[in-house]
Amino acid sequence: MVPSCYGVPVAPPRPAYDDPMTDLHPFIAGLPKAELHVHHVGSASPRIVSELAARHPDSKVPTDPEALADYFTFTDFAHFIDVYLSVVDLVRTPEDVRLLTFEVARDMARQNIRYAELTVTPYSSTRRGIDERAFMAAIEDARKAAEAEFGTVLRWCFDIPGEAGLEAAEETARLAVTDGIRPEGLVSFGLGGPEIGVPRPQFKPYFDRARAAGLRSVPHAGETTGPETVWDAIRDLGAERIGHGTSSVRDPGLLAYLAEHRIALEVCPTSNIATRAVATLDEHPIRAMADAGVLVTVNSDDPPMFGTDLNDEYAVAARLLELDERGVAALAKNAVEASFLDPAGKERLAAEIDTYTENWLAR
Ligand SMILES: [Zn+2]
C-alpha cells in the first residue's frame, strides 16, 4: 500500500526549494483560510505521532520528540513510505482515530485554517478491523469537538485508495452512501493512489452512486499522468474539482474547459516536487493555470510528511504567482468559492478574509 496521494514517487519527500518565508508570511499566518486537499493520516505531525506511539508502546515508532524528529527526517522515498505505514499502523482503535482527527484540527487551527475538507480513507481502517460505526462516531465526535474548541469547521471527503482496486471502491461507496453509517460531515467522494495502471473510468459506477446520494466528486487526476486522465475524471467521474491536475497545462483546450466550467484545481506545490510530478518549484505550472483563468486553489496534501504546512504553500504560491497581500487574499477566496460550504458559510468566510486583509493593510 502507498499513501493515498501518490503516483510513482521517486524523489525524497523533503523538497529542496528556496526559503518559502517571504515577507508575506506573517500576513499569510493570520489570514483565515480554507483547505480543500489534505489527507487524514498524512496530516499526522510528529507531535501527534508521538501521542499515538505512546498509546502503542509495542510499535517501532519513537515517542521522544528528539528521536521522533530524526525519524521524520526522510532519507529517501522508501524511508518515507516506511514512516507513513508505521503511522497507519498506529491508528488501531476508534480512540486513535478520534485523537488523530482532533489533533489534526488543532494543527489546522494554529494556521488559522477556518474550514477544511479532510480526505479520509475509511477503507484503510475498516479493513484493519476497526468497526465501521465506531470509526464514523470517532471522526464525527472529533469534528464536533474541534469546531467547538477551535472554531475550525471540518468536512469529510471519503476517498477510494485506487491501488486497492474495485473491492476498496465498493467498500468506500457503501460506507459513503448507506444511511445510518455515512457521517453527517461527509460532503464529497474522491479517488487517490497511483494513477498509472489505475484507469479512472473503472470507478464510474461508484462515483455515480456517491453523486446520486448527494456527494460531490473530487478525484485526484493528472498528477503523474497526462491531461487525458483529467478528461476521464471530468467525463466519467463527474469531477467538480480536480486533485492536483498538474498536467492540465499540457492541453490548452482542457484549461479552457476547466476555466469555463469553474472546475477548480487543488494545487499542492511542495507535494508535486516531492513526488517528482514537477521537477522544481520554479517549473511549477501554477502560473500557467492561473493565467488561463482556471480557479486555482492552494493546498498542502500530506503536510508534515512533506515538511510543509498550508502557510508555507501559500508563501510558495505567492512567490510563483508574484502576489501581494490582496493577491494572496484572492487566492484564499478561490478556495472558499471552490469549497462545498453552503452559500452563507462561503459569504461569511470570504468576509472574514476581506476584513482581515483590510485591517492588515490599514495598520
Ligand atoms: Zn492528495
Side-chain angles (χ1 to χ4, degrees):
M1 188 200 135
V2 295
S4 194
C5 202
Y6 305 112
V8 186
V10 289
R14 211 162 263 256
Y17 53 69
D18 296 337
D19 181 11
M21 305 290 282
T22 68
D23 58 355
L24 287 179
H25 213 277
F27 170 76
I28 290 168
L31 180 69
K33 290 173 289 289
E35 172 140 58
L36 307 180
H37 188 128
V38 59
H39 295 266
H40 189 214
V41 171
S43 295
S45 60
R47 177 183 67 80
I48 298 172
V49 173
S50 162
E51 284 190 47
L52 288 168
R55 293 170 54 86
H56 302 293
D58 62 309
S59 91
K60 62 177 182 173
V61 180
T63 52
D64 170 61
E66 221 164 277
L68 199 61
D70 283 346
Y71 189 74
F72 259 70
T73 304
F74 307 112
T75 52
D76 57 21
F77 198 80
H79 183 205
F80 164 64
I81 293 289
D82 211 34
V83 171
Y84 186 94
L85 292 180
S86 67
V87 176
V88 171
D89 181 58
L90 289 174
V91 184
R92 301 180 189 174
T93 69
E95 182 47 38
D96 297 334
V97 173
R98 189 199 177 280
L99 184 148
L100 168 67
T101 314
F102 183 75
E103 295 302 326
V104 164
R106 187 195 302 276
D107 287 346
M108 288 176 166
R110 286 175 177 160
Q111 301 172 67
N112 220 11
I113 296 174
R114 310 283 298 132
Y115 171 82
E117 293 172 14
L118 189 59
T119 297
V120 176
T121 313
Y123 178 78
S124 301
S125 292
T126 57
R127 79 179 174 131
R128 292 169 66 82
I130 296 183
D131 176 79
E132 60 199 38
R133 287 170 199 275
F135 178 88
M136 302 304 167
I139 59 173
E140 281 293 292
D141 185 56
R143 175 176 73 82
K144 289 172 185 165
E147 187 169 338
E149 186 158 340
F150 313 126
T152 296
V153 174
L154 292 181
R155 293 291 181 265
W156 317 121
C157 168
F158 277 5
D159 85 328
I160 302 167
E163 72 280 5
L166 298 186
E167 181 196 325
E170 174 61 40
E171 172 77 347
T172 307
R174 183 182 67 79
L175 295 169
V177 305
T178 306
D179 286 340
I181 298 176
R182 63 181 278 173
E184 200 185 327
L186 184 66
V187 293
S188 63
F189 196 70
L191 168 62
E195 291 177 44
I196 294 170
V198 188
R200 312 286 96 171
Q202 64 183 315
F203 298 103
K204 181 178 190 312
Y206 309 98
F207 275 78
D208 285 348
R209 276 165 65 191
R211 292 165 66 207
L215 297 177
R216 317 293 292 268
S217 170
V218 287
H220 289 56
E223 178 187 12
T224 54
T225 58
E228 68 283 355
T229 311
V230 179
W231 281 119
D232 286 347
I234 293 167
R235 290 176 179 145
D236 293 312
L237 309 182
E240 295 171 79
R241 289 197 314 249
I242 302 286
H244 298 287
T246 319
S247 63
S248 302
V249 292
R250 283 158 35 194
D251 181 346
L254 174 57
L255 283 183
Y257 187 92
L258 294 170
E260 184 189 345
H261 294 271
R262 302 301 271 173
I263 298 174
L265 296 180
E266 300 161 358
V267 179
C268 311
T270 296
S271 163
N272 292 156
I273 307 309
T275 62
R276 291 257 173 107
V278 177
T280 67
L281 271 181
D282 287 326
E283 293 167 75
H284 198 283
I286 188 170
R287 183 69 181 257
M289 295 164 174
D291 286 349
V294 176
L295 188 60
V296 167
T297 68
V298 172
N299 304 276
S300 65
D301 210 4
D302 301 283
M305 306 271 174
F306 294 140
T308 190
D309 62 19
L310 188 60
N311 289 338
D312 280 351
E313 295 306 286
Y314 267 80
V316 166
R319 180 168 70 75
L320 295 176
L321 295 170
E322 299 180 86
L323 301 176
D324 59 9
E325 286 89 346
R326 287 191 210 283
V328 171
L331 198 58
K333 283 164 78 172
N334 283 358
V336 176
E337 176 182 341
S339 78
F340 301 134
L341 267 168
D342 58 36
K346 286 186 182 187
E347 211 171 293
R348 225 172 11 248
L349 186 46
E352 260 190 72
I353 291 170
D354 283 339
T355 303
Y356 170 82
T357 305
E358 293 315 315
N359 286 343
W360 178 276
L361 292 173
R363 288 173 313 153

